[in-house]
Amino acid sequence: MRADVVRFALPDPGDVSGLRQAIDTGRIDPKTIVAVIGKTHGNGLVNDYTRGYLTLSLALLIAEKTGDTPEAVRARVPFVFSGGVEGVLSPHYSVFTAVADETPDSGGKSLAIGVAFTPDFHPHDIGRQRQIDLTAAAVEHAMAAAKIDRADVHFVQTKGPAFTLAEIIADRYAGTPPVTDNPGKLMSYGRAGSALGVAKALGESAGLEAPVLNDFSQFSSVASCSAGVEVRGNEVIVIGMSSAWSGPLAIAHAAMNDALDTAGIYRALADLGLPASPQVSAADAKRLRAGFVKCEASRDGKIRGRGHTMLNDGDIDPQRHIRAAVGAVVASVVNDTALFVSGGAEHQGPDGGGMIALIAERNA
């Protein structure tokens, strides 16, 4: 198999003209699309419907070009979108394709991708053992399908459901109370449960319910988890390296220990042979195909000993603060603003920090 990744600008959440042109010119065969990950213009919270708008727009386009129904497209292609492009970040989406390669490269490993879906969840499943276990099973399925070994997994993106207050209360009245009645807080539980599911699949954690939002020493080093009202179950995308795949692309990841950890960015770049002194050159930046970052406003209210106000701002959600800050830090090093920077890093990388994963063309 051979993977490719193509990024497209997103002028508005319904503008999929970039992919349409790529399909019409033969750059992308729509039947080979296996996943799409992107950043939309919304706030990234429960009431962010830009994610669903882009999902619908892309599903309709791919259905038009393949002859499938939009429902069939959504059943096989994970569409993982995160709202919030604060500061210098640019709205965009990355299209992942996989094709059979009859002349695979000899030796070595190349970018590989596997996808899977869990069954649907109810509000009372979120942050609990069922979500953890089913997410772990989906990750294992995606790894096996793509022939990616545990040690070669560099990035796992999940998208799970968010629920409105009416849905949460209905579940409570049905006798199955969720862990919280707060829709925003339930999103946090969902990201946390998904992350510990990834950690369980990769042997990083026992994958038990008790640590969810309690023991932040347990985390996945490669998980990036989001939640939104546009999905009902967890959509899972596993990206790594595999000798069963070919092509010029590679992926690397590193921990970011806090919002200012440029050393983590440099480590990921170095693993891909992308020098940055102190910034990736314009020429080398063209080799970058996609960048993914998880970040978190540190819970102790401090960054390197000095206080921050992100957790107590009544006007701006902490996720919006941290996306803008970390987005600027990472963009300034990699010389690219079309980055998937996502807040809410519960159990995703070190507490108070997060992780970075980069996909790039290898240096010829």
Side-chain angles (χ1 to χ4, degrees):
M1 297 297 292
R2 186 182 185 96
D4 198 6
V5 186
V6 184
R7 272 185 301 178
F8 298 96
L10 186 64
D12 68 63
D15 188 339
V16 294
S17 58
L19 178 58
R20 178 180 292 276
Q21 182 179 22
I23 293 172
D24 289 344
T25 59
R27 173 69 177 84
I28 289 178
D29 178 352
K31 293 182 179 180
T32 68
I33 296 173
V34 294
V36 187
I37 304 176
K39 290 294 295 186
T40 65
H41 304 66
N43 57 28
L45 305 177
V46 175
N47 66 330
D48 181 355
Y49 298 102
T50 64
R51 301 169 300 209
Y53 187 20
L54 179 56
T55 297
L56 175 61
S57 299
L58 285 166
L60 288 171
L61 172 62
I62 296 170
E64 172 194 334
K65 297 298 185 179
T66 60
D68 294 329
T69 65
E71 294 76 18
V73 172
R74 292 197 63 180
R76 69 174 179 83
V77 179
F79 294 98
V80 178
F81 302 124
S82 170
V85 280
E86 298 82 1
V88 301
L89 295 174
S90 299
H92 71 284
Y93 57 98
S94 298
V95 176
F96 294 78
T97 62
V99 298
D101 190 350
E102 296 180 357
T103 56
D105 298 338
S106 57
K109 298 176 181 180
S110 294
L111 187 75
I113 178 170
V115 304
F117 300 83
T118 71
D120 287 353
F121 294 124
H122 298 285
H124 64 266
D125 294 317
I126 301 305
R128 290 188 166 137
Q129 198 64 51
R130 183 170 185 263
Q131 185 183 34
I132 294 171
D133 291 345
L134 288 176
T135 301
V139 172
E140 291 169 353
H141 175 82
M143 290 167 55
K147 299 181 180 179
I148 305 173
D149 294 333
R150 269 187 180 181
D152 290 321
V153 174
H154 289 275
F155 183 66
V156 180
Q157 178 67 58
T158 74
K159 185 61 179 280
F163 295 95
T164 65
L165 181 58
E167 292 172 316
I168 294 169
I169 296 302
D171 215 20
R172 179 173 291 281
Y173 285 161
T176 50
V179 291
T180 177
D181 288 347
N182 183 305
K185 186 69 171 178
L186 194 61
M187 290 179 75
S188 297
Y189 274 98
R191 292 188 297 265
S194 296
L196 290 179
V198 175
K200 178 181 179 179
L202 298 179
E204 298 175 298
S205 167
L208 300 178
E209 180 181 324
V212 173
L213 297 187
N214 287 313
D215 181 2
F216 290 99
S217 69
Q218 295 196 35
F219 61 86
S220 170
S221 61
V222 297
S224 172
C225 304
S226 297
V229 294
E230 66 275 15
V231 298
R232 296 289 88 176
N234 272 19
E235 302 185 350
V236 175
I237 305 169
V238 177
I239 306 175
M241 301 291 286
S242 173
S243 57
W245 291 63
S246 63
L249 301 183
I251 184 170
H253 78 279
M256 290 187 66
N257 292 307
D258 61 30
L260 302 178
D261 187 11
T262 54
I265 307 170
Y266 288 120
R267 286 195 298 272
L269 289 168
D271 286 345
L272 293 170
L274 282 167
S277 55
Q279 184 181 79
V280 174
S281 69
D284 281 333
K286 293 178 180 179
R287 290 170 47 201
L288 190 67
R289 292 294 190 90
F292 308 97
V293 181
K294 285 300 295 191
C295 52
E296 183 81 5
S298 54
R299 292 173 180 81
D300 63 2
K302 295 181 179 180
I303 299 176
R304 303 195 177 183
R306 296 189 182 275
H308 68 75
T309 64
M310 291 184 279
L311 298 175
N312 299 309
D313 190 332
D315 297 312
I316 303 174
D317 188 88
Q319 286 197 50
R320 309 205 75 180
H321 275 289
I322 197 65
R323 283 194 298 258
V326 174
V329 170
V330 177
S332 69
V333 176
V334 303
N335 198 7
D336 196 328
T337 61
L339 301 169
F340 184 97
V341 179
S342 175
E346 305 91 345
H347 304 286
Q348 301 154 68
D351 188 30
M355 57 82 66
I356 180 170
L358 301 171
I359 297 174
E361 299 170 13
R362 284 181 281 215
N363 195 333

